[in-house]
């Protein structure tokens, strides 16, 4: 089990890299995360939804994602509540004041999913959540040491040197653990080091002496790694290769708006990964000036996020953007915001009725049953091309069949909406939309999944070269 000193230290990618390394070496390996808290989710072909990181890890293993890989998914709807998804299906709302008590009851289902994966595969790689040492969360824990104790799983503890204080955080985490939990920690890892690792030798020896645990190595910071992460938005953009020409006047300029409950923001990954696209998450409304395309991503609380847009001047900036010929794309919750109204009679996400921006002639009603499905088929707009994606939503809106897989388009053609996540991952379809809608004549580029496969191999190579994996090889045999 890979656990961390904090959220965002790289646990998800470390598990993905180890999954790819083991799979390449002929090991039947499967990823597992007992409890995930994220609005970045993926639909499983067999039904249900799981955290997007586990879907990536399944890809690293050469497997289709299944709900057993992430049996408990918490999707925040604000500071004090989250939608509870168990075995891929919505099971109500988890409230902050009942968090510890209610999640503890889920441990038998978590262990059952873990055992099923263990029966089907030779090796299970487990990812923890957040920090290993949270005294306020230890009672009833099913995500970190609580699960590790129940399943008797050895732990590798990882810290992120890029954020600073990694040796103190690793030592402090070990000191904060109760003795039974501390005994499960088998080894330590330092992640995201920039520079000459030999400069850390004294500190590494000090850490090993103080913790009485081996330090397996220091994994370098990997630039230009275009793999989706749940906690960090597009860290891979730092250090990307540059174009032969520094003249970026022909670049497509794309911006996204990251409201408080934004979800499935990886829909913008294809733009962020393309060197020919000048992509940014817009920090304030003035940043929309000069963009060709603005994307409103999904939302786990559409009414609240729409209110956030209105109260902070984003709506006026979007109106100005459209007035000067800019395009706006709404995906899932973003589509609902662009419509006429959002009806929520059961209070699934917000008030009974919320007025939308009215730029698309659609009305949305939230249904009690969440629709979760993988989709593939032939597009009707802009050309007859195959595409694939997935849908995760309570909302239902009437769609123009001639625009499929889009739902609606404004009268002037500047605003469009779709419920389809992952729609732009396929290069050919992405190119067709951008050429027809924005007049962008560049070549089609690369399928995002091809990039993921290449980068998973890069990640596995770096992990293999950076870490002493003899403890792992004692369990699975020689790694290649």
């Amino acid at each position: 089990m890979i656990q961390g000193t904090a959220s965002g230290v790289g646990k998800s990618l470390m598990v993905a890299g180890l999954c790819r390394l083991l799979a390449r070496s002929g090991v039947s390996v499967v990823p597992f995360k007992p409890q995930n808290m994220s609005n970045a989710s993926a639909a499983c072909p067999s039904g249900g939804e799981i955290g997007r990181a586990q879907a990536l890890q399944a890809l690293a293993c050469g497997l289709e994602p299944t709900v057993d890989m992430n049996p408990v998914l918490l999707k925040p709807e604000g500071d004090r509540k989250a939608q509870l998804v168990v075995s891929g299906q919505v099971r109500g709302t988890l409230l902050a004041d009942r968090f510890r008590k209610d999640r503890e009851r889920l441990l038998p289902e978590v262990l059952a999913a873990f055992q099923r994966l263990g029966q089907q595969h030779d090796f299970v790689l487990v990812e923890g959540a957040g920090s290993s040492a949270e005294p306020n969360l230890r009672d009833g824990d099913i995500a970190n040491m609580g699960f590790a104790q129940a399943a008797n799983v050895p732990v590798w503890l990882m810290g992120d040197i890029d954020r600073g204080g990694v040796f103190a955080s690793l030592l402090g985490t070990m000191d904060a653990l109760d003795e039974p939990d501390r005994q499960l920690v088998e080894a330590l890892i330092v992640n995201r080091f920039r520079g000459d690792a030999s400069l850390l030798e004294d500190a590494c020896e000090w850490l090993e002496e103080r913790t009485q645990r081996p330090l397996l190595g220091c994994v370098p910071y990997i630039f230009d790694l275009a793999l989706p992460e749940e906690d960090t938005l597009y860290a891979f953009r730092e250090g990307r290769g540059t174009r032969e020409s520094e003249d970026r006047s022909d670049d497509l300029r794309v911006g996204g708006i990251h409201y408080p409950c934004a979800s499935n923001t990886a829909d913008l990954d294809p733009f962020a990964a393309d060197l020919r696209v000048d992509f940014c998450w817009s920090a304030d409304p003035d940043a929309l000036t000069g963009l060709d395309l603005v994307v409103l991503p999904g939302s786990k609380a559409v009414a609240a996020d729409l209110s956030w847009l209105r109260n902070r001047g984003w709506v006026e900036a979007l109106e100005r953007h459209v007035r000067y010929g800019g395009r706006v794309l709404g995906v899932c919750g973003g589509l609902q915001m662009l419509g006429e109204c959002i009806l929520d009679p059961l209070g699934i996400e917000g008030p009974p009725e919320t007025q939308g921006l009215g730029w698309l002639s659609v009305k949305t009603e939230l249904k009690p049953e969440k629709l979760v499905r993988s989709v593939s088929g032939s597009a009707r707009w802009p050309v007859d091309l195959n595409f694939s994606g997935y849908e995760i939503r309570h909302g239902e809106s009437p769609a123009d069949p001639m625009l499929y897989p889009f739902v609606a388009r404004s009268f002037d053609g500047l605003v469009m909406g779709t419920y389809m996540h992952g729609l732009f991952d396929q290069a050919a379809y992405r190119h067709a939309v951008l050429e027809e809608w924005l007049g962008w004549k560049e070549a089609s580029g690369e399928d995002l999944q091809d990039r993921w496969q290449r980068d998973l191999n890069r990640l596995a190579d770096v992990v293999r070269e950076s870490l002493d994996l003899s403890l792992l090889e004692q369990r699975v045999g020689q790694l290649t």
Side-chain angles (χ1 to χ4, degrees):
M1 184 175 191
I2 302 296
Q3 294 189 21
T5 59
S7 294
V9 300
K11 298 184 293 292
S12 296
L13 291 188
M14 179 59 65
V15 171
L18 288 169
C19 280
R20 174 52 58 94
L21 180 60
L22 287 164
R24 286 192 327 201
S25 301
V27 178
S28 173
V29 59
V30 65
F32 181 74
K33 185 161 186 171
Q35 172 197 296
N36 199 348
M37 179 176 283
S38 175
N39 277 330
S41 59
C44 298
S46 56
E49 63 179 310
I50 61 173
R52 186 172 180 83
Q54 281 62 67
L56 176 72
Q57 292 159 1
L59 179 69
C61 297
L63 302 172
E64 280 194 351
T66 68
V67 296
D68 277 349
M69 296 176 185
N70 177 206
V72 177
L73 175 62
L74 307 179
K75 307 189 77 172
E77 297 177 331
D79 292 336
R80 302 187 61 80
K81 66 176 183 176
Q83 185 179 71
L84 173 63
V85 178
V86 180
S87 297
Q89 304 301 318
V90 176
R91 195 177 286 185
T93 300
L94 192 65
L95 301 177
D97 58 357
R98 293 184 54 85
F99 177 66
R100 283 181 287 191
K101 181 181 293 186
D102 287 350
R103 64 175 181 159
E104 186 175 13
R105 299 171 182 168
L106 300 172
L107 182 59
E109 292 179 82
V110 167
L111 291 172
F114 174 70
Q115 290 161 3
R116 283 192 294 270
L117 293 179
Q119 292 166 359
Q120 297 161 10
H121 300 275
D122 297 332
F123 199 78
V124 185
L125 265 172
V126 187
E127 179 189 344
S131 169
S132 300
E134 299 286 356
N136 58 312
L137 299 178
R138 181 59 182 89
D139 289 345
D141 172 56
I142 64 172
N144 289 302
M145 285 301 182
F147 168 80
Q149 288 286 355
N152 192 29
V153 174
V155 173
W156 290 1
L157 179 64
M158 186 167 67
D160 178 9
I161 196 171
D162 194 54
R163 63 174 60 190
V166 69
F167 295 101
S169 66
L170 285 166
L171 178 60
T173 298
M174 289 291 290
D175 285 348
L177 294 173
D178 292 338
E179 185 58 28
D181 290 346
R182 191 181 302 117
Q183 289 301 319
L184 285 178
V185 179
E186 185 177 70
L188 310 175
I189 299 172
V190 171
N191 194 28
R192 294 184 180 139
F193 179 66
R194 309 175 192 236
D196 183 355
S198 65
L199 298 175
L200 299 179
E201 288 180 359
D202 291 345
C204 292
E205 292 174 1
W206 173 87
L207 183 65
E208 289 184 320
E209 182 178 347
R210 291 290 298 269
T211 62
Q212 293 299 296
R213 299 296 188 280
L215 180 62
L216 302 183
C218 299
V219 179
Y221 193 107
I222 309 174
F223 293 100
D224 196 22
L225 194 65
L227 294 172
E229 295 192 62
E230 292 177 335
D231 296 316
T232 305
L233 291 175
Y234 307 126
F236 66 81
R237 288 179 59 81
E238 180 181 355
R240 293 191 314 167
T242 56
R243 297 173 60 175
E244 293 182 4
S245 170
E246 293 300 321
D247 179 11
R248 301 183 66 89
S249 60
D250 294 331
D251 282 3
L252 184 69
R253 295 161 297 178
V254 179
I257 301 178
H258 198 281
Y259 14 83
C261 291
S263 65
N264 290 82
T265 55
D267 288 329
L268 282 79
D269 277 9
F271 301 118
D274 194 328
L275 283 173
R276 303 164 304 169
V277 176
D278 184 5
F279 173 81
C280 66
W281 283 103
S282 301
D284 60 70
D286 291 338
L288 302 187
T289 302
L291 295 180
D292 299 302
L293 172 64
V294 176
V295 182
L296 302 183
S299 168
K300 195 64 195 68
V302 176
D305 280 342
L306 182 53
S307 177
W308 182 88
L309 289 176
R310 285 181 164 131
N311 292 337
R312 285 163 174 77
W314 287 98
V315 174
E316 292 83 357
L318 285 166
E319 289 173 340
R320 186 169 58 250
H321 168 75
V322 173
R323 189 162 59 247
Y324 284 95
R327 271 59 169 180
V328 176
L329 171 65
V331 181
C332 200
L335 156 68
Q336 296 170 11
M337 295 180 195
L338 294 170
E340 296 175 357
C341 65
I342 303 155
L343 305 176
D344 190 1
L346 300 178
I348 295 170
E349 289 187 5
E353 182 172 352
T354 300
Q355 291 302 308
L357 298 178
W359 299 349
L360 296 176
S361 296
V362 295
K363 295 181 179 180
T364 299
E365 182 174 352
L366 271 61
K367 302 294 186 179
E369 296 296 323
K370 180 188 279 191
L371 176 66
V372 180
R373 64 182 180 188
S374 298
V375 180
S376 60
S378 180
R380 299 290 299 274
W381 188 91
V383 292
D384 183 5
L385 267 179
N386 289 332
F387 76 93
S388 62
Y390 61 98
E391 294 178 299
I392 300 178
R393 55 186 170 93
H394 282 282
E396 188 173 291
S397 311
D400 182 345
M402 299 306 297
L403 292 175
Y404 184 76
F406 289 86
V407 170
R409 178 173 54 184
S410 63
F411 180 76
D412 59 12
L414 298 178
V415 181
M416 296 192 71
T418 181
Y419 272 119
M420 202 69 60
H421 296 292
L423 188 58
F424 293 119
D425 289 0
Q426 298 105 108
Y429 185 70
R430 179 173 72 244
H431 172 69
V433 172
L434 296 178
E435 184 176 33
E436 173 68 22
W437 195 27
L438 284 87
W440 202 46
K441 302 294 185 181
E442 293 276 0
S444 59
E446 182 180 30
D447 281 1
L448 200 59
Q449 190 157 130
D450 291 341
R451 174 70 185 264
W452 291 344
Q453 294 285 7
R454 188 170 70 251
D455 278 354
L456 283 168
N457 283 324
R458 287 179 57 210
L459 178 60
D461 291 341
V462 170
V463 169
R464 183 72 184 93
E465 294 165 3
S466 306
L467 299 182
D468 177 359
L469 296 176
S470 56
L471 288 172
L472 187 57
E473 289 181 323
Q474 290 173 16
R475 297 179 169 101
V476 301
Q478 185 69 36
L479 298 175
T480 57

